[in-house]
Amino acid sequence: MMDIIKIPAAMVAGMAIAALALVVFYDGISLPYFGQVIDGRLQNAVEAAKAGLVAQADLDAANAKLAAMTLRAQQAEALAEQARATGEKITEKEGQGDDALKASVAADHRGDGARWSASDINWLCNERRRLGIIGACGGGQSGR
């Protein structure tokens, strides 16, 4: 008669142990105030998936930074090329100005190498008057 009670009790105990083992190995044990105490297979799969997502997010962020830096480098190269072209134009204009100056100096046959225009003399007189230099514009006048 004891066997009638022992056999079903053993079966229930065996199923309880199997269910507990299945829960522990598959789901793990999570306690309310302590969180996940024992990681199960499911928890390990979740962690692996999260790690993969984090790695993918890091890779995507690095690729986005690379694309932005490549764009900035291309923009900087375009601006540098534009600056080079502008510098060449300025150098060319300076060369033309030097040629014009050399031609002007060559056309000047005076002995002092300088030629004063009427507007240059007028400017010089006005500057001397403004500064209060005695004898501005000749004649010993102070211009005041």
Side-chain angles (χ1 to χ4, degrees), residues 124-133 136-137 142-144:
L124 182 62
C125 286
N126 290 335
E127 281 298 305
R128 286 184 172 182
R129 284 185 189 128
R130 187 180 66 81
L131 295 173
I133 298 174
C137 297
S142 67
R144 288 190 182 206

Side-chain angles (χ1 to χ4, degrees), residues 9-69:
M11 288 176 62
V12 169
M15 285 191 286
I17 291 172
L20 182 62
L22 181 66
V23 167
V24 168
F25 288 120
Y26 185 74
D27 235 4
I29 296 178
S30 179
L31 299 176
Y33 292 109
F34 298 105
Q36 193 74 23
V37 177
I38 296 175
D39 288 343
R41 185 177 147 218
L42 182 64
Q43 186 66 26
N44 290 337
V46 167
E47 291 297 323
K50 282 182 184 177
L53 289 175
V54 168
Q56 184 64 40
D58 288 344
L59 179 63
D60 291 344
N63 285 336
K65 285 181 182 178
L66 176 64
M69 291 176 76

Side-chain angles (χ1 to χ4, degrees), residues 105 108-116:
V105 169
D108 186 10
H109 298 296
R110 295 166 119 193
D112 62 358
R115 191 182 301 185
W116 289 79

Side-chain angles (χ1 to χ4, degrees), residues 74-123:
Q74 290 171 348
Q75 289 173 342
E77 185 62 35
L79 289 173
E81 185 61 34
Q82 187 179 16
R84 271 188 228 106
T86 303
E88 288 173 2
K89 287 179 184 176
I90 290 172
T91 304
E92 182 179 318
K93 285 183 180 179
E94 284 179 354
Q96 291 172 353
D98 288 345
D99 293 341
L101 178 63
K102 287 178 185 175
S104 175
V105 169
D108 186 10
H109 298 296
R110 295 166 119 193
D112 62 358
R115 191 182 301 185
W116 289 79
S117 68
S119 64
D120 292 335
I121 294 170
N122 189 23
W123 174 82

Side-chain angles (χ1 to χ4, degrees), residues 1-12:
M1 184 110 147
M2 284 300 241
D3 289 339
I4 295 178
I5 296 175
K6 286 183 184 176
I7 291 174
M11 288 176 62
V12 169

